[in-house]
Amino acid sequence: MIVDVSNKVVVITGASKGIGSELARTFAKENSKVVINYNHSEEKAHQLFNEISEFNENCMLIKADITNPSDVSNMYHEVVSKYGSVDILINNAGVCDDNLIQMMSLEQWKRVIDINLTGCFLCSREFSKIMIKQKFGKIINIASLKGQEGCVGQVNYTASKAGLISFTKSLAKELGRYNIAVNAICPGFIVTDLNRHNEKKKVVAQERSLLAIDNSLGDLIKYILFISSDNISSISGQVFNLDSRAK
Ligand code: NAP
């Protein structure tokens, strides 16, 4: 089976590093028109943009804080004026800022909810405008298994991801009439800057895995590519768990 996403316009939030950067690379290799969004990691984002531009000239780099409505609106207008359409929005940007609840500041709580949940709301609100006009679009929200299971020291992160799952189901109901599919993906543990410092979580994830092989990043990227393609046309409002852990 051929998975074809060539010429699709795909906006990836938080693509300067980690999962987002790998998504950008892969979609670009498949000849999509990729929009790399970043906020703080200027150097990494430029490196990625230069790397992709070597083999795909249809790539955009946009600095935008997804918690800032005017940044998101500017990003939207830049993309639409260049490409005229948006096929896929991947709400990937996310952070964690862990603490036990008695030590968690209101700022820690708000920052994580703002980026992981409000940012997704703002981007979806903006980019669904053109998808509604097109009567086509796919919105993929990167949630987390932890949004279903909970985790000590992560009430902010897990609440944001649980919120994102519910957001996905509601938005899918709202936008289905315009042929816009909205789904959530819940990865397990993938080593990135988000968790690199946390050896304990890595060991726990390995211990709970039912399979010896760990290709979770590669599998996640392939899965997202597949559901982004026209091969999949009637799945929406769903939550996909991509992991092999024993409960
Ligand atoms: P990462 O390597 O730390 O990357 C996070 C990305 O989010 C960065 O590119 C960062 O960009 C961007 N970002 C943060 N705040 C932003 C903002 N205000 N505006 C725009 N971009 C912003 O993390 P990752 O592991 O790739 O995580 C990607 C997504 O997967 C997250 O939603 C995360 O919750 C989810 N996830 C990850 C795992 C895992 O094990 N890694 C598991 C489940 C779910 P700048 O640095 O440029 O600001």
Side-chain angles (χ1 to χ4, degrees), residues 10 17 24-26 40 49 58 84 86-87 90 120 143-144 161 179 205 239 241:
V10 52
K17 52 188 184 175
R25 244 180 228 108
T26 308
H40 288 117
F49 176 75
N58 277 312
V86 175
D87 299 292
I90 305 180
C120 176
S144 170
K161 295 300 184 179
N179 191 30
V239 181
N241 294 344

Side-chain angles (χ1 to χ4, degrees), residues 62-223:
I62 303 181
K63 178 175 164 63
D65 177 351
I66 58 155
T67 67
N68 180 327
S70 60
D71 275 15
V72 174
S73 172
N74 291 340
M75 172 161 69
Y76 172 73
H77 287 105
E78 245 187 275
V79 175
V80 171
S81 65
K82 176 153 183 183
Y83 293 132
S85 64
V86 175
D87 299 292
I88 302 149
L89 167 67
I90 305 180
N91 283 309
N92 166 75
V95 292
C96 60
D97 194 350
D98 302 353
N99 231 332
L100 296 172
I101 193 163
Q102 295 304 327
M103 287 175 284
M104 186 175 287
S105 65
L106 183 57
E107 287 67 36
Q108 273 182 302
W109 168 264
K110 280 186 175 168
R111 188 171 90 86
V112 172
I113 298 290
D114 258 16
I115 295 172
N116 295 6
L117 193 53
T118 312
C120 176
F121 157 70
L122 291 172
C123 292
S124 303
R125 188 176 66 174
E126 208 65 42
F127 284 95
S128 60
K129 283 181 194 164
I130 186 131
M131 292 179 174
I132 287 170
K133 277 192 203 150
Q134 296 165 179
K135 297 219 166 17
F136 174 79
K138 293 194 175 187
I139 298 176
I140 298 168
N141 298 324
I142 309 299
S144 170
L145 276 180
K146 287 181 180 169
Q148 299 170 46
E149 296 175 352
C151 184
V152 172
Q154 291 199 310
V155 289
N156 49 0
Y157 183 80
T158 55
S160 73
K161 295 300 184 179
L164 199 48
I165 288 170
S166 192
F167 173 88
T168 299
K169 293 179 183 176
S170 297
L171 192 62
K173 287 184 177 172
E174 258 185 61
L175 298 183
R177 77 190 73 164
Y178 305 107
N179 191 30
I180 300 169
V182 189
N183 290 295
I185 303 277
C186 295
F189 187 86
I190 297 167
V191 179
T192 64
D193 285 0
L194 192 75
N195 49 32
R196 210 178 296 285
H197 54 281
N198 199 327
E199 241 348 272
K200 193 174 155 207
K201 278 191 190 153
K202 193 174 160 189
V203 172
V204 170
Q206 279 164 350
E207 281 171 0
R208 290 176 70 185
S209 176
L210 300 176
L211 299 170
I213 297 169
D214 180 8
N215 183 29
S216 43
L217 178 59
D219 286 352
L220 171 67
I221 304 295
K222 277 184 270 181
Y223 203 89

